[in-house]
Amino acid sequence: MNGIKEKIAAAARQLGNEATVGFPEAVVVEAGALSRVAPFMKERGYGRPLLVADEHTLAAAGRTVAAGLAGAGFPENATLVKPNAQGDVVADEASIVQVILDLQKSGADAIVVAGSGTLHDIARYAAYTTRLPFVSVPTAASVDGFTSRGAPILIRGEKITVQAIGPTAIFADLAVMSRAPAALTAAGFADMLGKYTSLFDWKFGSLTAGESYNEAVAGITEQALRDCVEHADLIGRRTEDGIRVLTEALIDSGLAMLVFGQSHPASGAEHHLSHYWEMEYIRTGKRQLLHGAKVGAACAEIAGLYRGLEMGEYAPNEAAAAELRVALRNIPDPDALRGLLRRVGGPSSVSELGVSGELLARSLREAHRVRPNRFTLLRAYNEKKAAGQQKPVR
């Protein structure tokens, strides 16, 4: 990861935030990385770390981490986040308060979180609220949010992203992550595939609404996406090399967001559809779908919509329209995107995912309101349509 570290550092210097961005002190992506957690905690002088996991991630990596901490002389100190009534562990008020109460009760001075995206969101907000550092131990290459300083959490069933902190260190054990359920690996690949439309939406927002944009950060995300697509077969077979490529790409994507300070490089209309579906499933009491799996299916739908629109109708001038047409050609057609999703063994369509046609249609009309501060092409399309100015999709 040395080359990408240099590019990320260069982007931070360009943006003038190198001193404040808060990069992890250590990023370890290798087989056996779990054995390096306890020595790191010892070197940094922590005395009472709290291990945060759930029943599945405890078995995957948590027990090994706990044994390593105990062997290094740390007191046993762990909390298992409880699932909701539907059996899902979710980043909501109850989960966050559970962790905060255990932090207070144990007198912990740091958090070690063993898990994937949801547990990281719970831990990073609990750490931010209690002003404690946290160390990341991913158990699956399923999301790109391990390095994020924002936490998407559910408050009374509504998904919002709140200020949090990034990890002090990341220890991604390839042996552990290669054994993760295939669906989680496919979800991580699908989360990366969503960068096709998120990068376009970022460019669109910059050209039509003056949103801040940075070519260096976009380039980091584009390279991470290309790496995943080029290694799709290895990722689908969950070889150690494939998992390494995917894990490093997810971390790079997260670092790109960290440097930029917002989620624009990695989250556009495809993520807004995913969040909309999540809130609907919570409202109706349904079991949750994997975040990345939703993003991948949504990306194909958004690609189909966007490729049928004429950029001249949305751009402020012909120069911007021409630039948007070039950016649009970088988005594969929906069939190509679905073919990539099938290559890694994930759901390749909304119907295969289990999202109804009615929910899809409603989300295409309304999901842009999930992030009202973002100006995506989906938002522009719906606003033009509401104003009676939208021509039929080609």
Side-chain angles (χ1 to χ4, degrees), residues 113-128:
V113 56
S116 53
T118 297
L119 283 166
H120 273 69
D121 291 332
I122 295 166
R124 82 175 70 254
Y125 188 65
Y128 173 77

Side-chain angles (χ1 to χ4, degrees), residues 1-2 4-5 23-41 43-44 113 120 135-141 146-147 167-177 240 243-252 255:
M1 297 181 69
N2 289 336
I4 198 68
K5 285 180 181 177
F23 289 116
E25 294 176 26
V27 178
V28 180
V29 181
E30 63 184 26
L34 296 187
S35 66
R36 299 178 63 173
V37 176
F40 177 85
M41 304 300 286
E43 289 167 9
R44 295 309 186 275
V113 56
H120 273 69
V135 170
S136 163
V137 181
T139 53
F146 297 122
T147 60
T168 300
I170 302 174
F171 296 96
D173 194 317
L174 295 178
V176 171
M177 299 173 85
E240 206 163 276
I243 297 301
R244 177 188 53 77
V245 169
L246 177 57
T247 300
E248 291 184 351
L250 291 166
I251 291 172
D252 292 346
L255 290 174

